[in-house]
Amino acid sequence: MSLSLPGPSQAGLFKPGYQSHDAEDGAVIRNIEACQAISQTVQTSLGPYGRNKIVINHLQKMILTSDAATILRELEVVHPAAKLLVMASQQQDSEMGDGTNLVIVLAGELLKKAEELLRLGLKTSDITQGYEKAQNFALKTLEDLQVDRLQELRSQTELSKALRTVVASKQSGAEALLADLVAEAVLAVLPKNPVNFNVDNVRVVKIMGGSLEQSRVIKGMVFGREPDGTVKKARKAKVGVFSCPIDISQTETKGTVLLKNAQEMLDFTKGEEERLELAIKELYDSGLRVVVAGATVGDLALHYLNRFNILVIKILSKYELRRLCRVVGATPLARLGAPMPDEMGSIDVVETTEIGGDRVTVFRQEDSTAVTRTSTIVLRGATQNHLDDVERAIDDGVNAVKAITKDPRLVPGAGATEIQLVNRISAFADRTPGLPQYAIRKYAEAFEVVPRTLAESAGLDATEVLSRLYTAHHRANAGAESSGDDDEEEDGEEGGSGEDEEEPYWTTGVDLEGTSAAGTLDAVEEGILDLLASKSWAIRLASEAARTVLSVDQIIVARQAGGPKPPGPNPNWDED
C-alpha cells in the first residue's frame, strides 16, 4: 500500500494574480463544456436551412449571417480551449474556404462523446489513441466514397455542378443562379494551368436595389465612382497609372509675396501653370488617353487633362490600384511624367454606366482569348445585409474552385457520407481489440450530428429520418457484401447487389425539401455533392482540435498586464 503524498504547492512559484486550473478541479470537463458552448452557437447554422445569427461587434456594426467563419471572426472568444476550435475553423477557412461550420460542430460532438467516456472511467490517453486510429481509418474510408469527379474544369455546367452545394449551404434557393455566376466569372480568369488560379482575380461589387436575378459578370473591373473630368468614355486606349498626386509641386519652404498690381498677380503662377501644362502635354504626346491617379488630382491639372481629352479617375485604395494595374498591364509610377512604353497599359473599353441609380466606371477587356484578367460580379439586392451574405456565399464558391483545381473528386452530400462513415467506423471498432474500441465507436457516433442537424433545421423528425437513413445504408452495405464482388465501392454505387432495382443506394441522404414521404433522397441523383478535399480537411482539423483539447490537463493564466482600467465616459455628463 503506497502512501499518497500531497502534490507540490504552487504558492510562491508564480507572481501574484496567477490562476491555475488542474485536472483535479475538472479542467478537462470544463474545457469540453466551453467548446460545446461555442459548438452549439454555430450548430443551428449548419446547412441550407441553417438559422441566421445577429452579431453586433465592438464597433456596434450589425452582422447578420449563417456563415460560421464570419460569426466566429466577430465573436471575441477568450476561453483558451474554445479558441483552439476557432483556430481550427480559421485554418479550414484559409485552406478550403468552406466547411468551417463542420469543423466546429464535429469537434464539439467528438468532445461531447469523449466526456461520456471520461465519466465511464476511461483515461484521456485511451480516448486520444482511439480517436487517432479512427481518424486515420475515416480518412482512408473517405477516399473510397468518391462518386464523381470533375472531368472538364473549363466547362461551365461541370463547374456549376460542384459549386451548387457549396453555395446552397449559404443561399438556399438561389444556388443555381449564384453557381452559374461564379462559374462564369472564374472561367473568364482561369489560367492555362488551373492550379495557378488566384481567388483575388474574382471581385465582387455590391449595388443596392433591384433583385438578385439582375446580377451579372463583367470581364474587367468596376469602380463605384465616375471619372473626375468631363471625359467619361474611352476605347482602345493607352493607360497610365500614377501613385503620386497630379498637381503643382509644392515648395518645401513657405514665403510671403508682396503683389503691387493686377498684372503681377496674373503672372504669379504663370511659370507653374506652364510647367503643369507641359507635363500633361507630355502625357498626351506619349499616347496616354486614360490616367488613373492613386492620390489627389489638382483643379488646374484637371483643367489641362480635360483640354487634352484625357479621361482621369481617382482610385484611392492602393489594393484596387494594384488590381487595376494587373487588368491593364501597367506599372504604377511614383513621378508625374510620360511613362515608358513598357510602363503603359492598354484597355479596350472604359465607360461610365448607371446601375440602379449609381454611376459606376467599368474597365473592360473585350478580347475573349485573354484569361489573365480580373472579372467582377456585380451583385444587386434589396438590403446591405443581404448583399453581404450573398458576397460570402460567392467567396465560398470561388475558394471551392481553388480546392477543385487541386482535387476534383466529389462525395455524396446531404449527410450520406457521414452516415456511411458511421457504419464503416463502427464496423472497424468491432474489429479493434482493447480499450480504444470504445473511443472509436464514439468517434463514429459523432458523425451522426451532421444528418441530425440538417433534419432538425429543415423541421423534420430527426430520429425518424436517421433510422430510415441507417436502414437504407445497412441494406446497401449488406447487398454489397452478399454479392461477393471484390470491388465493394463499385457495388455500393450500383446500389448494393445490383440485382434488385429497389435496393437502396448508400448515397441516401436527408431530403430537406420534403419532396419524399420518407424524408430521404439519393444525393447523387439530386446533384447534392460535396468536395472530398473539403470534407477530408474538416475531419482532420476537427479530430486534431478535439484531441488537443482532451490532452490539456492544466490551464495557467497570468494576470492581465497594465494597471487599473481607465474610467469610462460619465453617463451623466450633461447634468448640472
Side-chain angles (χ1 to χ4, degrees):
M1 180 181 161
S2 63
L3 185 65
S4 175
L5 293 171
S9 163
Q10 290 170 357
L13 181 60
F14 302 126
K15 283 174 76 176
Y18 265 84
Q19 294 176 355
S20 176
H21 308 285
D22 298 1
E24 284 78 20
D25 304 337
V28 179
I29 299 293
R30 285 206 298 211
N31 288 349
I32 290 172
E33 283 168 0
C35 293
Q36 275 183 261
I38 198 89
S39 168
Q40 282 163 4
T41 304
V42 295
Q43 185 173 333
T44 50
S45 297
L46 185 72
Y49 288 94
R51 305 291 183 267
N52 285 333
K53 307 274 185 242
I54 291 180
V55 181
I56 296 170
N57 66 10
H58 61 290
L59 299 172
Q60 297 302 300
K61 184 187 174 189
M62 187 183 87
I63 292 102
L64 189 147
T65 182
S66 63
D67 180 35
T70 309
I71 294 166
L72 294 172
R73 198 182 307 120
E74 297 301 336
L75 292 174
E76 291 181 18
V77 179
V78 293
H79 194 284
K83 259 187 183 171
L84 287 169
L85 258 65
V86 175
M87 282 154 65
S89 173
Q90 286 168 346
Q91 185 62 33
Q92 172 79 2
D93 193 34
S94 61
E95 198 70 45
M96 286 288 141
D98 186 37
T100 49
N101 207 333
L102 180 59
V103 172
I104 296 278
V105 169
L106 188 56
E109 194 68 12
L110 286 170
L111 289 169
K112 183 181 172 185
K113 299 292 180 191
E115 187 183 355
E116 293 171 17
L117 292 171
L118 286 169
R119 294 194 188 283
L120 287 172
L122 259 74
K123 296 278 183 286
T124 49
S125 55
D126 295 325
I127 299 169
T128 50
Q129 192 184 343
Y131 274 12
E132 192 168 359
K133 281 185 181 175
Q135 179 200 333
N136 295 335
F137 181 78
L139 293 173
K140 272 189 213 152
T141 306
L142 198 64
E143 303 282 323
D144 303 335
L145 299 182
Q146 173 197 335
V147 288
D148 201 354
R149 66 185 294 130
L150 285 188
Q151 304 298 338
E152 181 48 61
L153 199 61
R154 294 185 189 279
S155 157
Q156 188 167 330
T157 49
E158 281 277 289
L159 203 54
S160 296
K161 177 178 75 175
L163 296 177
R164 196 164 293 185
T165 314
V166 175
V167 176
S169 64
K170 303 284 180 297
Q171 287 294 318
S172 180
E175 64 268 20
L177 171 73
L178 291 175
D180 283 342
L181 277 175
V182 173
E184 188 187 336
V186 166
L187 290 176
V189 298
L190 201 63
K192 285 193 175 81
N193 181 5
V195 179
N196 297 332
F197 169 65
N198 182 5
V199 293
D200 198 44
N201 287 349
V202 178
R203 311 301 307 154
V204 175
V205 169
K206 299 169 287 187
I207 297 175
M208 272 177 64
S211 65
L212 201 57
E213 286 72 30
Q214 292 169 328
S215 304
R216 63 178 191 269
V217 175
I218 291 173
K219 291 179 183 176
M221 286 195 78
V222 178
F223 298 100
R225 61 181 299 150
E226 282 188 272
D228 290 61
T230 53
V231 185
K232 305 288 185 190
K233 190 176 280 192
R235 292 186 75 83
K236 301 284 181 192
K238 291 265 184 260
V239 184
V241 181
F242 297 94
S243 57
C244 60
I246 302 173
D247 202 356
I248 298 167
S249 54
Q250 297 287 325
T251 55
E252 284 184 17
T253 57
K254 298 289 180 193
T256 307
V257 179
L258 185 63
L259 300 172
K260 299 246 183 1
N261 54 40
Q263 191 58 41
E264 282 183 9
M265 194 169 185
L266 287 170
D267 295 343
F268 174 57
T269 56
K270 203 159 199 170
E272 287 178 335
E273 285 173 24
E274 283 168 3
R275 279 188 61 190
L276 190 59
E277 185 177 8
L278 202 65
I280 303 294
K281 189 175 186 307
E282 215 178 287
L283 298 183
Y284 181 81
D285 292 342
S286 69
L288 284 188
R289 293 297 175 269
V290 177
V291 167
V292 179
T296 54
V297 178
D299 291 341
L300 193 61
L302 197 58
H303 165 69
Y304 286 122
L305 287 163
N306 287 340
R307 264 179 60 180
F308 283 103
N309 266 346
I310 297 175
L311 184 145
V312 58
I313 183 168
K314 269 194 296 192
I315 296 170
L316 298 178
S317 162
K318 63 180 181 182
Y319 303 108
E320 292 292 311
L321 204 67
R322 280 182 208 158
R323 291 186 189 108
L324 184 63
C325 286
R326 214 161 49 209
V327 171
V328 300
T331 307
L333 302 171
R335 54 171 174 77
L336 184 60
M340 304 292 287
D342 60 333
E343 292 173 331
M344 283 193 270
S346 62
I347 191 79
D348 290 343
V349 179
V350 183
E351 61 183 0
T352 306
T353 57
E354 191 170 315
I355 304 177
D358 290 8
R359 303 285 288 173
V360 295
T361 304
V362 179
F363 281 73
R364 193 170 71 240
Q365 298 284 18
E366 292 187 325
D367 182 5
S368 57
T369 56
V371 291
T372 53
R373 312 296 184 192
T374 298
S375 64
T376 303
I377 299 173
V378 178
L379 281 182
R380 307 299 312 282
T383 64
Q384 195 61 45
N385 280 322
H386 177 59
L387 285 171
D388 289 345
D389 221 19
V390 175
E391 186 187 10
R392 289 182 201 109
I394 284 176
D395 187 49
D396 281 8
V398 174
N399 277 291
V401 174
K402 180 72 177 168
I404 289 166
T405 57
K406 296 175 185 168
D407 188 348
R409 293 177 295 171
L410 301 168
V411 292
T417 303
E418 281 78 10
I419 289 288
Q420 192 61 20
L421 284 171
V422 174
N423 281 345
R424 297 200 184 186
I425 298 169
S426 298
F428 172 62
D430 295 338
R431 302 195 297 271
T432 307
L435 284 175
Q437 67 172 288
Y438 296 104
I440 295 170
R441 193 167 289 109
K442 290 290 183 188
Y443 186 96
E445 287 172 19
F447 281 99
E448 201 183 272
V449 72
V450 176
R452 180 182 291 280
T453 307
L454 288 175
E456 281 173 357
S457 64
L460 304 171
D461 184 343
T463 311
E464 189 181 339
V465 169
L466 277 172
S467 66
R468 287 180 192 278
L469 285 177
Y470 276 124
T471 306
H473 282 252
H474 180 71
R475 280 165 62 192
N477 288 344
E481 286 164 20
S482 63
S483 67
D485 198 334
D486 292 336
D487 193 357
E488 186 182 318
E489 281 69 52
E490 208 172 288
D491 280 349
E493 284 175 44
E494 295 301 319
S497 62
E499 293 167 9
D500 186 0
E501 287 296 316
E502 294 300 312
E503 190 71 60
Y505 292 97
W506 61 260
T507 53
T508 308
V510 184
D511 176 18
L512 300 178
E513 302 293 331
T515 48
S516 71
T520 60
L521 50 70
D522 190 306
V524 177
E525 275 181 17
E526 295 293 327
I528 304 170
L529 300 164
D530 288 335
L531 295 182
L532 189 145
S534 180
K535 199 80 93 177
S536 169
W537 268 101
I539 291 171
R540 192 178 284 120
L541 286 165
S543 306
E544 285 177 8
R547 289 209 310 272
T548 308
V549 171
L550 286 172
S551 59
V552 172
D553 75 329
Q554 189 172 10
I555 297 176
I556 303 164
V557 186
R559 190 174 65 182
Q560 221 170 344
K565 292 275 183 288
N570 179 12
N572 306 319
W573 61 273
D574 57 341
E575 289 182 9
D576 295 332

